[in-house]
Amino acid sequence: MKMTKKLVLAAVAVPLVFGSATAFAFGGKGDFKGKGECRGGSDHKILRQLDLTDEQKTQLKEMRTNAKAEFKEMRSEKGQEVMAERQAHQAQVNQLLLADTFDEAAANELAKEMVEKQAERRVKMLERQHQVLSILTPEQKSEIHRNQARTYEQMR
């Protein structure tokens, strides 16, 4: 019995040890300081670089608060509906993949539905970004453009 426990313990411990060693070798979970990495920044970082007026800061804060409330509402009310829709899409994908023959027409129809949903989310995101940028003055907008161009150049 003791030997079985030791084998089980070893079977659990060995992958954990090697997995953690690998994580530490690549910097671990919290070692992202942004040095040498090109990842998309948030609007907060970009907007902090500007000299915003108190009114602009207030408007932006209101927008963020409204967006959070809208997101919470969507998650609570529509969350179940959206999740059911995604599960239905996944079930359809599985049916297509597991079928004896590939139904290209059904795959195209399903892909179109999924692309339409993604396009709706993208349009909503772009609308929010436009609302944020509409608060800024032309000078601030041009400064954002210059900062983005500089960032893109640094990423190359």
Side-chain angles (χ1 to χ4, degrees):
M1 193 67 163
K2 286 185 177 182
M3 186 63 161
T4 306
K5 287 182 181 179
K6 288 180 182 178
L7 288 173
V8 169
L9 182 62
V12 170
V14 169
L16 288 175
V17 169
F18 286 122
S20 61
T22 304
F24 285 120
F26 287 106
K29 188 174 182 181
D31 195 36
F32 297 107
K33 295 193 172 50
K35 295 178 183 174
E37 294 185 24
C38 291
R39 293 185 291 170
S42 67
D43 292 340
H44 301 289
K45 290 180 184 177
I46 293 171
L47 293 174
R48 277 191 210 135
Q49 296 172 351
L50 303 176
D51 293 325
L52 297 174
T53 64
D54 290 337
E55 183 181 340
Q56 287 174 324
K57 289 178 184 177
T58 304
Q59 288 176 328
L60 290 171
K61 189 172 183 175
E62 275 181 30
M63 283 184 176
R64 280 193 295 269
T65 304
N66 292 340
K68 280 183 183 180
E70 184 180 318
F71 183 72
K72 262 188 178 177
E73 180 182 319
M74 194 242 348
R75 296 260 312 170
S76 64
E77 292 178 3
K78 296 181 182 178
Q80 299 298 327
E81 180 182 319
V82 169
M83 191 60 121
E85 187 176 311
R86 286 184 182 171
Q87 287 174 347
H89 278 144
Q90 188 60 44
Q92 290 175 335
V93 167
N94 288 339
Q95 285 177 347
L96 285 170
L97 296 176
L98 297 174
D100 292 336
T101 59
F102 184 71
D103 185 1
E104 190 172 341
N108 280 329
E109 187 63 35
L110 181 60
K112 286 178 185 176
E113 287 177 28
M114 294 170 88
V115 166
E116 285 175 12
K117 293 293 181 184
Q118 185 180 17
E120 288 174 12
R121 289 191 302 269
R122 293 266 183 193
V123 168
K124 192 174 277 193
M125 179 188 70
L126 290 172
E127 181 182 7
R128 285 192 182 120
Q129 288 176 346
H130 179 265
Q131 288 174 350
V132 168
L133 292 176
S134 68
I135 293 173
L136 303 178
T137 64
E139 294 83 20
Q140 291 170 331
K141 289 178 185 179
S142 65
E143 187 174 343
I144 282 181
H145 182 68
R146 283 192 304 273
N147 290 343
Q148 286 176 340
R150 188 177 336 120
T151 302
Y152 293 145
E153 193 62 37
Q154 288 173 351
M155 281 201 256
R156 286 188 199 175

